[in-house]
Amino acid sequence: MKEHETAVELRDIIKNFPGVRALDGVSLTLKKGEVHGLIGENGAGKSTLIKTLTGVHKPDQGKILCEGQEVVFSGPLDAKKKGIACVYQELNIVAELNATDNMFMGNMKKKGNSFFLDYGYMNRKTKEVMKSMNQEIDLTKICGNMGMGQLQMIEIGKSILQEAKVLILDEPTSSLGEQETKELFKTVNLLKEQGMAILFVSHKLEEIFELCDVVTVMRDGKHVVTMDTDKMTQDDLITYMVGRSLSNLYPKVEVPKGDVAMEVKHLSRKGVYNDVTFSVRKGEVLGFAGLVGAGRTEVFRGIFAADPVDSGEVYINGKQCRIKSPGDAIKNKIAFLTEDRKGQGLVLDEPISKNIAMVNMLNLQKGLFVDDRKLKEQAENTVKKLKIKTESIEKKSGDLSGGNQQKVVIGKWINTDAEIFVFDEPTRGIDVGAKIEVYNIINDLVKEGKAVVMISSELPEILGMCDRVVVMRSGRITGEIDRKSEDFNQESIMRAAWEV
Amino acid sequence: MKTNILKNKKISNIVGPLIALIVLSLLLTIITDQFFKANNLLNILRQASINALVSFGMLFVLLTGGIDLSVGATIACSGCMMGIMIKAGIDNTFLLLLVGLLCGAVIGLVNGLLFTKLDLPHPFVSTLGTQLVIRGFCLWLTGSASMSGFSEGVMFLGYASVGGFPVCFLLVIIVAIVASVFLNKTAFGRYIYSIGGNREAARLSGIKVKPLLNLTYILSGVLAALAGIVMIGRVSLAYPNAGDGYEMNAIAACVIGGASFNGGRGSVGGTLVGALIIAVLNNGLNLLGAKTDIQNMILGLVVILAVFVDVIRGKQEEKARRLAQARQ
C-alpha cells in the first residue's frame, strides 16, 4: 500500500479547563484516504479533541498542521475553511425542510447578484453530491419523513459540498440500525477511496475493526496508542481503553428460572405491530432483537400503556391485567426504561435525588408532605448501589455522563416494587466500563428473581446477556431462539430479522 | 453540607430580584420625600396585592411550560357574576364569595380541558380564545354596565386593615405560604416542576400528567377570581372591563421573579418579589409625576431586562456545567 499524505496533524496538544487537563500532550495524524478510529471511555478527551480539530476549542499548547502547514483556528469557521468538517451525534437538520434546503443552509446560492435563490442549481448539486455517495434522494420529501441514516447522509453531503478534506464522524452509528450502518460504512469507504481523511469516533469495538485502518485509543486525556487495526485484537483494544484487562465483556450469570412473570397474547396495533405473543419468566433475561423500526419498542410502549393498543391481552403472574396508563403498569409492577434517556427518562434540569424519586415519591411521604430525609437517603443508597459517579446527589442529572444518566434511570425503577424490568437499548451511547456495570445490574435483578426484557440492536449484547431471544421483523415475531439451542448465533438472528 | 447547597441555590434564585427591589426602594427613598413613609409603603402593598394573587396562579401554569392569558378576564367575570347576584337580590356573603371563586375554577377547568382533552397546541392560543369569550360574556351579561352595592363581608378582603396593615396583603402572604409549601413539600407540587422539565418523562414515570395540568389551570382561575374579589373591595364596583391587561402584569411579575417560559423553573418567593418590584416602580413613577404612558414603557423595559438577565444567567450556568463536565 502506498504511503498516504497527511491531511491534518495535531502535535502535542494540551488543553486545560479550570481544574482539569482535558488533553495532555495528545498527537494525532489523519491521512488522506484513511479511516482513523478514535476510541476511549467517556471523559477520555475525545470530544475535546474533536472540538480542537474543528476550531471550537483553542489549544493551550501544541500545534495544528494542515497539509504540513501550521495553522491557528480562531473559530469553527476557520477550521471549516481549511476543509475540516464534522457530523455530530445530534444532527443539524431542520425537519420541515427538504434535502436541498438543509444541504445549503447558511450557504444559499443566489441567481447572479440578485436576491433570488437559484433552486435549479441547488437541486442539481444536491442530487450530484448524493449520487457521489451512491445515494438516491427524493427532493419532494421533507427531512422529517426520512430515516436517521438518510439524514446523516445529507449531513455528510453538506461536508462534501463545502469541499471538506477531513470528515469527523462523532458516533455516527449510535442511532442507526444494522442496515443503515452498513449503508454508512459503504459511503465512508467510498469517500476514503476518493481521498478523504476520516476520523471515526465510536463506542462499538466491532465497528472500529470493520471500518478503520488505524485506531487511536485515548484515556484520561492522554494518547495511549495508535495502531493498525489488523495488528490488534478486540481484547487488546479493551485493555488499552480501560487500562486493565477485562476478562469478559458480558458477565452473564444464569439463575434457575421461576414461573412466568408476564405473558402477552395476540397484542396488535394496526400498522405498527401484529399478533405479538411471548412470555418472560422470573430470573430470565429475554432479548428482543430486530432492525430499528421492527416494532420492538412500540410493543413495550403498548404494554406499558405509553401508547394505545388495538387488541390483545397481558397476563401478570397468570392474572389478566387491564393496563390503561403508565400508572397502571407501574401498579402491575412493570418498569419501563426508555431508549431515549434524555427525552423520556430524565428531567435533566432537576437533581439526581429527585429524578430517582420520580416514580415512587408518593411512597416517600410523611403525612401530606414529602419526607426529604427519606428521599435523600434513597438517593444516597441508590448512588452507592449503582456506583453512580457524582460528587453530590443534588447535581443536575443533565450534567452526568451518558452511562451515569442511564444508571439514574435504572435507579428510578429499582426503588419501586417492580418485578418486570423492560430495558430498551440500555447501553446505547455509553462506554465499555459503564456497559459492564449495567450488565451487572441486570444480573443482580435476575438473581433477585425479577424478569428482565432487553430490547437491543446490538447482537453481541443480545447473545452475551440473554437466556432467550425473540426476533421481530415489520411488526411481527419471526423467531424465538433459546440460549441452549445451536441456532443461538448471529446468523440465525439476522436471518429472522431480515428474512427475505 | 449538601442541604446547604440546595437551600443556597433556591435562595440564590431570588437574590437577584430581591437586590433589584432593595436598590429601587433605596433610590426612590433618596430622590423623593414621600416614598419612604408608612402610608405610602402600605399603599404599595395594597397595590401589589391583586397582581401578586394573579401572578401566583400564573406561576403554576408557567411552571408546567404553559400560560394563561384569560386571568384578566376571569377577574372581571367573577366580579360580574357576583354583581348580577346582588342585582337579583342575593346578598349572602358566603354564597357570593363561593360563586365568585367557583366561576374562576370553572374557567380554569375549561382552559385545562381545552389543552389536555382536545389536545389543542400551546395554551397561548386557547387561553387567548377563552379570554375573548369571557370578556364578551361579561359585557353581554352586564349590558356593559358596572355594578355596586356589595356587602361589607364581600368588600372586607379588599379594603379592610388590621392595625393599619392591609388585609389584602395578609391574604397574599397566606396564599404565598400555602402555594410555596404545596410546590416544595408535597409530591404533587414537585411533580408540577417535573412536568415542566420533561412532560414525557413524567408521564412514563406514572405521574398523572393531565389531571395535574388541569389542576394548575384551575388554581390559576381560582386565584384570579380571588384577585377579582379583592378588587371589588378596593373599588367598590364590579365592571366588565375590570382586570384588562392584568395577565401581562402577572407574566411580568413571574418573569422578573425568575420563572422560565420553558417551564420547570420559578418560585413563589421570586414571583412575590416580582409583583412588589412592579408596584414599587409604578408608585415611584407616580411620585415622580410620570403618567401611565411612561409607566408602561418603563415596565416593558424592565420585563425585557429581566428576561435578558435570565438569559445571561442561563449561559453562565451552561458554561459552569461544561467546565464541570470537562473536569469529570
Side-chain angles (χ1 to χ4, degrees), chain B residues 190-313:
Chain B
R190 293 187 192 189
Y191 285 161
I192 288 175
Y193 281 95
S194 300
I195 291 171
N198 188 340
R199 192 173 158 186
E200 187 64 3
R203 186 172 81 98
L204 294 179
S205 297
I207 295 173
K208 294 191 167 46
V209 171
K210 287 188 171 180
L212 272 172
L213 282 173
N214 289 337
L215 176 69
T216 60
Y217 285 92
I218 292 172
L219 287 173
S220 174
V222 168
L223 286 170
L226 189 60
I229 291 167
V230 170
M231 193 181 225
I232 287 176
R234 303 234 324 131
V235 297
S236 317
L237 279 178
Y239 56 105
N241 279 323
D244 192 24
Y246 275 41
E247 59 277 357
M248 292 308 155
N249 281 333
I251 294 168
C254 292
V255 170
I256 291 172
S260 155
F261 259 104
N262 296 325
R265 212 175 62 206
S267 68
V268 175
T271 303
L272 180 57
V273 174
L276 286 173
I277 287 179
I278 293 174
V280 167
L281 204 61
N282 284 335
N283 176 272
L285 289 168
N286 258 332
L287 294 179
L288 292 171
K291 298 265 160 31
T292 320
D293 43 8
I294 304 286
Q295 287 181 20
N296 277 349
M297 284 193 268
I298 289 183
L299 181 58
L301 291 175
V302 167
V303 170
I304 294 170
L305 184 73
V307 180
F308 180 62
V309 168
D310 190 51
V311 167
I312 289 179
R313 195 170 57 187

Side-chain angles (χ1 to χ4, degrees), chain A residues 250 286-290 296 439 454-470 483 488 493:
Chain A
Y250 304 105
L286 175 67
F288 260 72
R296 298 167 299 165
Y439 298 143
M454 185 166 87
I455 305 171
S456 173
S457 298
E458 288 182 52
L459 286 182
E461 173 173 285
I462 292 263
L463 293 170
M465 287 304 295
C466 298
D467 296 293
R468 198 156 49 94
V469 56
V470 167
R483 189 175 192 85
F488 195 74
I493 294 175

Side-chain angles (χ1 to χ4, degrees), chain A residues 161-177:
Chain A
L161 197 68
Q162 287 155 10
E163 291 169 348
K165 293 171 195 146
V166 178
L167 178 64
I168 303 166
L169 298 169
D170 186 8
E171 286 188 48
T173 61
S174 61
S175 49
L176 299 185

